[in-house]
Amino acid sequence: MNVLILGGDGYLGWPTAMNLTANGHTVAVVDNYLRRNVCREEDVEPLFDVPNLHERTRLWKETSGYNVQVFIGDLRQWDFVADVFGQFVPDAIIHYAEQPSAPYSMLNRRAATLTLSNNIEVTANVIFAVREFVPEAHIIKIGTMGEYGTPDIDIEEGWLDIEHKGRRSRFLYPRQAGSLYHTTKVMDTDLLWFYVRMWDLRVTDLMQGPVYGLFTDENEKDSRLLPFFNYDELFGTVLNRFIVQAVDGYPLTVYGKGGQTRGYLDIRDTLQCVRLSLENPSKAGELRIFNQFVETFSVNQLAEKVQQVGNQFNLNVEIRSIENPRKEAEDHYYNPVHTGLLELGLKPHYLTDDVISQMLETVIKYKDNIKKTSIFRGVKWK
Ligand code: USQ
């Protein structure tokens, strides 16, 4: 298939581009380096430098023989969007082109506005571009498990049947996000659902949990092809942060009681889930939703796992509960359904001691790059 990856420079975008070309698809990537620029502005650079998209595609061509076409520009600008769709006719669009950080969205008014305008306008432009240029194309959108929040009942896979005064109807599962970033994802889902109903678009919305890891089949032998690895409070996800903290001798930053439970997945499973969705498209007029994670952990469980494996590396890992900068439930019920992707053929990678060891070994190589001041700055959500 011809696949257009929006946000192709990101933590997940670039690994997806390599993975899809290695599996026979023709890929073009689009990015405006939003994440690189925001990280530079906020002084939270990733653990190691990664080459720009042009260089990455050259390196990938050199090592694998596969081509990836690159478009650099802002998908909020319609002229640019029209130019991309004029040059590359996709069968599917994978939409990662969003400001992806919950803490960044809660930093200040400017960050909030950027998150809102980028995420909503890009999603709207994707919808308009599909309608205008490729109405049969499949939109694969990366949503988030955070759209549902942490309700006191089981979380279904996107939809809920409601019985009310003797009648039944099916609705999107109630959403109550915990950050502005997560709220933009709820808005994205609503936009997509509206236009699925209006224009019979073909959409898959992947409600993804926090992702960890660095290695995929395509980059294991060449560190120049690794994705960004953020460990700072703004852009680092919790397990990646704990690994870096363990290596740095920084007590693991468990926020509050540490009972916050989420559904996690290895970056290799993100690639599988996206490819399974791509190769088994939804129907015209269908908004298909999958909950994309493989196992749930509380923050305390993650910290204990990292401590236990870290200590086998003689890192003497300490865990410290600190006042929670976020406003979230710290002790709650969490039981989301996640069978859809397994039924499509997902073969999960679990968080084993070996996976944690491999991440620790890699981070140890870049130990000198760790900047302690990036680890915690206390962005208050209240
Ligand atoms: N946490 C700590 N200590 C830390 C960092 C995080 O206790 O040092 C806690 C948080 O308070 C939260 C949990 O760990 O309860 C997960 O936090 P996170 O920063 O790993 O994940 P989150 O902010 O929810 O966002 C990440 C991605 C986002 C994606 C989301 C999936 O950045 O793009 O949508 O995971 S989910 O969490 O399921 O909504």
Side-chain angles (χ1 to χ4, degrees), residues 46-335:
L47 184 63
F48 44 81
D49 288 336
V50 300
N52 70 36
L53 259 186
H54 292 288
E55 277 175 56
R56 286 170 137 183
T57 51
R58 271 196 293 274
L59 289 167
W60 180 232
K61 168 89 181 162
E62 221 175 271
T63 53
S64 70
Y66 299 116
N67 272 317
V68 174
Q69 199 176 338
V70 178
F71 295 94
I72 301 295
D74 186 347
L75 291 160
R76 280 180 295 181
Q77 308 297 329
W78 179 255
D79 287 353
F80 174 67
V81 174
D83 192 31
V84 171
F85 280 80
Q87 291 186 55
F88 186 88
V89 181
D91 300 304
I93 294 124
I94 301 176
H95 174 17
Y96 292 113
E98 304 224 321
Q99 189 299 94
S101 157
Y104 178 75
S105 75
M106 304 299 283
L107 181 63
N108 53 36
R109 187 158 53 83
R110 183 172 167 268
T113 307
L114 183 151
T115 306
L116 266 172
S117 69
N118 183 81
N119 295 6
I120 306 303
E121 285 175 40
V122 173
T123 300
N125 275 349
V126 170
I127 292 167
F128 302 146
V130 167
R131 155 88 161 173
E132 194 159 325
F133 299 100
V134 279
E136 289 300 314
H138 178 201
I139 300 175
I140 299 172
K141 168 75 175 51
I142 304 298
T144 168
M145 285 299 293
E147 292 186 33
Y148 306 119
T150 52
D152 215 17
I153 56 172
D154 288 358
I155 295 173
E156 299 303 322
E157 208 143 10
W159 301 93
L160 187 65
D161 292 316
I162 305 264
E163 197 176 318
H164 182 62
K165 297 185 178 169
R167 300 177 68 83
R168 286 176 78 83
S169 202
R170 196 163 186 248
F171 295 92
L172 282 171
Y173 189 93
R175 280 87 39 83
Q176 37 191 2
S179 77
L180 180 70
Y181 151 76
H182 288 99
T183 302
T184 63
K185 295 269 182 162
V186 172
M187 294 168 164
D188 285 340
T189 301
D190 279 330
L191 266 182
L192 289 163
W193 177 216
F194 174 68
Y195 282 112
V196 164
R197 297 192 319 267
M198 289 302 113
W199 294 343
D200 284 336
L201 299 185
R202 192 188 290 276
V203 179
T204 300
D205 202 344
L206 297 171
M207 302 299 172
Q208 185 168 242
V211 182
Y212 58 83
L214 277 157
F215 295 104
T216 67
D217 291 346
E218 291 73 40
N219 67 20
E220 231 163 2
K221 295 195 186 76
D222 191 338
S223 62
R224 298 170 304 173
L225 295 170
L226 289 176
F228 292 114
F229 194 78
N230 279 85
Y231 59 94
D232 57 276
E233 178 184 331
L234 294 179
F235 284 89
T237 47
V238 63
L239 183 69
N240 291 354
R241 277 166 63 64
F242 283 176
I243 299 281
V244 170
Q245 293 168 4
V247 169
D248 193 53
Y250 195 107
L252 307 190
T253 54
V254 169
Y255 294 167
K257 289 189 200 150
Q260 302 92 309
T261 304
R262 302 286 182 268
Y264 291 84
L265 73 165
D266 187 303
I267 190 166
R268 292 172 290 185
D269 289 345
T270 296
L271 302 185
Q272 279 194 73
C273 293
V274 167
R275 191 151 73 85
L276 284 166
S277 303
L278 175 78
E279 293 173 357
N280 301 277
S282 53
K283 299 191 221 34
E286 183 192 12
L287 169 62
R288 181 176 60 167
I289 300 178
F290 293 126
N291 291 345
Q292 183 165 312
F293 67 92
V294 303
E295 50 193 336
T296 60
F297 296 109
S298 69
V299 173
N300 285 329
Q301 285 171 321
L302 288 179
E304 280 155 21
K305 276 178 176 287
V306 173
Q307 180 179 51
Q308 190 219 324
V309 182
N311 286 345
Q312 290 163 16
F313 284 72
N314 295 321
L315 290 171
N316 198 15
V317 180
E318 214 186 302
I319 299 175
R320 188 174 297 161
S321 160
I322 58 177
E323 191 193 335
N324 195 342
R326 305 185 182 192
K327 189 166 182 188
E328 61 183 353
E330 293 175 4
D331 197 1
H332 58 90
Y333 180 75
Y334 201 63
N335 189 28

Side-chain angles (χ1 to χ4, degrees), residues 18-65:
M18 291 192 291
N19 182 260
L20 293 182
T21 49
N23 283 284
H25 299 289
T26 300
V27 172
V29 288
V30 187
D31 213 291
N32 65 344
Y33 295 139
L34 175 83
R35 181 198 176 109
R36 288 183 190 249
N37 293 333
V38 169
C39 286
R40 200 166 300 141
E41 277 168 30
E42 294 301 329
D43 193 21
V44 289
E45 304 278 352
L47 184 63
F48 44 81
D49 288 336
V50 300
N52 70 36
L53 259 186
H54 292 288
E55 277 175 56
R56 286 170 137 183
T57 51
R58 271 196 293 274
L59 289 167
W60 180 232
K61 168 89 181 162
E62 221 175 271
T63 53
S64 70

